[in-house]
Amino acid sequence: MAWDRNQMAARAAKELQDGWYVNLGIGIPTLVSNYIPAGVEVTLQSENGMLGMGPFPYEGEEDADLINAGKQTITELPQTAFFDSSQSFAMIRGGKINMAILGAMEVSETGDLANWMIPGKLIKGMGGAMDLVAGVGRVVVVMDHTSKHGESKVLKACTLPLTGKAVVNRIITNLGVLDVVPGGLKIVECADGVTEADLRAATEATILGGER
Amino acid sequence: MKKIYETAAKALDGLLFDGMLIAAGGFGLCGIPELLIAEIKARGTKNLTIASNNAGVDGFGLGQLLENRQVKKMISSYVGENAEFMRQFLAKELEVEFNPQGTLAERMRAGGAGIPGFYTKTGVGTVIAEGKEHKDFDGQTFVLERGLVADLAIVKAWKADPSGNLVFRKTARNFNPPAATCGKACVAEVEEIVPLGALDPDMIHTPGIYVHRLIQGTHEKRIEQRTTRKKAA
């Protein structure tokens, strides 16, 4: 037992606080917008130049001039503002965005994040991820705990080229929730049907003992 | 002062040369100067270095210049949508300088604003910062990035007036305003040129001082990822 993609997204949505400006990455983080808790009003930033991102358009109402950072057609809201890319990253770099929820290939116990490149295999570029992790107030990563081969992706040290060093605050995986704290990781919560022992067994990184 | 040209060909006359650096606006295929790119393809200008967030897709946008082997180097943040790009890159036929997206936008903005370099936290501790000057401010480490000045900027806007004032539409603005400022020359293509006085001076996104030549044309405006939802029955 563990969380599926939607359950991970729903758990990540609990990180949102009323009034926050938030940037959601591609993949599972995008699903977080489906689970924003009632009474919590957040403004979604899309780094291609938009605050106040709305849902996908109805069929036939797509607008080529209105896309998100994943290049998907989207819609605007009454509170939407558009701006250029330098302004967009000024608000990111300037610490105005409260939180980014991003995917990860690997994360380390010191909060290093790797999510942009596999040497010799996947070379697409970092997009806005390096700017986001360096600039936003809080970085939450949502990822599978292990690879397809069962190897831990929550590591003592990342093996892939980094997106940022000591930038991750909280890790949400299919097995649970971990915080990056001095000395290693601390278990915040285990996924449904997952024990603390399961979580420790699946993790290469140092998990601090005992305390919760 | 006459900024309006009849065609992309006339607007680019005298501005293109082999080995030049071109800054292009656009994000994915949204807000790309597709008419000017098509004309650069027709001219066959070679050994180009192109600063653009993305590299188009196979057969459209900057992807056409790659297929035509006109590009020596791309300065980009994300190039994932282009098979020919990947082939040339892996075969070492194409040089790529990856810039974080915000660093690329700020390099254009700074270059256009006469700022030769700036310090940013972005990329510190990663391969992007290797070999670059680092400096500590208030207990945090920053890396020096250079302002970017291009021989030519090509941008796409929604509307312009004859003085070159530009207005963009929705997220098609993206890299176009910073790109426009960083060119020694800037050519803008727009969907509509309106008479002087028809644009509200309070609503101008890029003032005409940055724009040297203008063309009006019809844009395909291709959608890269068409995503929709169904109306409730």
Side-chain angles (χ1 to χ4, degrees), chain A residues 11-55:
Chain A
R11 177 58 189 83
K14 291 185 187 170
E15 302 292 316
L16 302 170
Q17 292 185 22
D18 190 43
W20 271 13
Y21 291 88
V22 177
N23 183 293
L24 302 178
I26 294 167
I28 298 176
T30 303
L31 299 175
V32 172
S33 63
N34 297 334
Y35 299 96
I36 298 171
V40 173
E41 200 174 294
V42 298
T43 304
L44 299 179
Q45 199 246 19
S46 192
E47 67 264 27
N48 54 318
M50 179 179 194
L51 274 169
M53 192 169 32

Side-chain angles (χ1 to χ4, degrees), chain B:
Chain B
M1 180 190 74
K2 185 187 163 301
K3 293 188 176 178
I4 301 171
Y5 289 69
E6 284 168 44
T7 62
K10 287 181 180 167
L12 287 173
D13 246 359
L15 297 179
L16 300 178
F17 58 92
D18 290 349
M20 71 188 300
L21 169 58
I22 298 177
F27 182 94
L29 299 180
C30 182
I32 60 170
E34 53 183 86
L35 306 175
L36 294 165
I37 291 168
E39 178 57 26
I40 293 169
K41 181 190 175 190
R43 296 290 180 96
T45 317
K46 292 254 181 309
N47 287 319
L48 299 173
T49 296
I50 301 182
S52 166
N53 189 55
N54 312 96
V57 296
D58 293 302
F60 195 65
L62 292 172
Q64 297 173 86
L65 303 187
L66 290 166
E67 276 157 34
N68 214 25
R69 312 307 296 268
Q70 290 172 259
V71 184
K72 181 183 71 174
K73 178 179 173 181
M74 289 296 308
I75 304 174
S76 303
S77 88
Y78 191 81
V79 294
E81 321 300 340
N82 193 318
E84 175 62 12
F85 179 102
M86 211 50 83
R87 192 199 65 72
Q88 289 185 20
F89 179 52
L90 293 172
K92 295 193 180 356
E93 296 165 11
L94 175 70
E95 242 180 281
V96 181
E97 178 186 324
F98 281 116
N99 280 193
Q101 196 174 131
T103 294
L104 180 57
E106 188 63 11
R107 289 186 68 195
M108 291 179 180
R109 196 203 67 81
I115 296 171
F118 58 93
Y119 290 97
T120 175
K121 271 191 292 185
T122 302
V124 170
T126 76
V127 293
I128 294 307
E130 283 174 10
K132 292 174 183 169
E133 184 193 322
H134 287 63
K135 188 165 178 165
D136 286 4
F137 294 90
D138 307 319
Q140 285 188 302
T141 303
F142 295 75
V143 61
L144 179 66
E145 295 282 1
R146 294 294 311 271
L148 192 146
V149 177
D151 297 306
L152 172 68
I154 53 173
V155 301
K156 191 262 167 185
W158 182 34
K159 291 182 180 180
D161 68 17
S163 73
N165 291 321
L166 301 181
V167 174
F168 301 90
R169 187 171 174 274
K170 303 184 190 287
T171 56
R173 194 183 318 181
N174 57 59
F175 273 83
N176 284 295
T181 67
C182 83
K184 291 174 192 162
C186 172
V187 182
E189 58 179 70
V190 302
E191 294 175 46
E192 187 184 1
I193 299 175
V194 299
L196 278 179
L199 297 178
D200 180 347
D202 272 332
M203 298 295 157
I204 303 294
H205 297 133
T206 293
I209 189 169
Y210 296 109
V211 179
H212 305 99
R213 300 183 182 184
L214 270 178
I215 56 163
Q216 176 181 305
T218 305
H219 292 81
E220 179 182 336
K221 298 214 282 187
R222 198 182 285 189
I223 292 176
E224 207 165 331
Q225 304 279 346
R226 190 178 296 273
T227 45
T228 58
R229 63 190 154 128
K230 290 248 192 287
K231 272 190 179 138

Side-chain angles (χ1 to χ4, degrees), chain A residues 135-210:
Chain A
V136 304
R138 184 169 169 78
V139 175
V140 173
V141 301
V142 181
M143 63 190 292
D144 282 327
H145 206 95
T146 56
S147 71
K148 282 173 197 154
H149 313 292
E151 290 155 349
S152 177
K153 291 160 63 168
V154 182
L155 303 168
K156 290 187 191 304
C158 293
T159 64
L160 295 170
L162 297 183
T163 307
K165 204 167 173 58
V167 293
V168 176
N169 300 103
R170 178 164 281 192
I171 305 162
I172 299 174
T173 77
N174 52 321
L175 300 184
V177 181
L178 297 147
D179 270 351
V180 179
V181 297
L185 302 177
K186 187 177 158 195
I187 296 174
V188 176
E189 189 179 329
C190 293
D192 304 332
V194 175
T195 66
E196 207 169 299
D198 296 335
L199 191 50
R200 285 173 184 277
T203 306
E204 193 232 36
T206 308
I207 297 181
L208 300 181

Side-chain angles (χ1 to χ4, degrees), chain A residues 46-148:
Chain A
S46 192
E47 67 264 27
N48 54 318
M50 179 179 194
L51 274 169
M53 192 169 32
F56 293 143
Y58 292 120
E59 271 176 46
E61 294 178 9
E62 309 92 314
D63 184 340
D65 290 339
L66 185 46
I67 63 169
N68 64 18
K71 284 112 184 173
Q72 297 171 309
T73 46
I74 46 158
T75 55
E76 61 190 43
L77 301 169
Q79 66 269 32
T80 293
F82 296 113
F83 34 83
D84 71 49
S85 299
S86 63
Q87 167 96 275
S88 179
F89 283 92
M91 66 182 72
I92 289 169
R93 208 186 297 105
K96 316 299 178 188
I97 304 292
N98 300 97
M99 184 167 75
I101 303 178
L102 302 171
M105 296 171 182
E106 292 177 348
V107 63
S108 85
E109 65 190 42
T110 55
D112 295 352
L113 171 67
N115 73 353
W116 76 281
M117 179 186 184
I118 300 172
K121 279 188 189 163
L122 181 74
I123 311 156
K124 292 188 168 187
M126 72 293 284
M130 284 191 182
D131 309 274
L132 281 162
V133 299
V136 304
R138 184 169 169 78
V139 175
V140 173
V141 301
V142 181
M143 63 190 292
D144 282 327
H145 206 95
T146 56
S147 71
K148 282 173 197 154

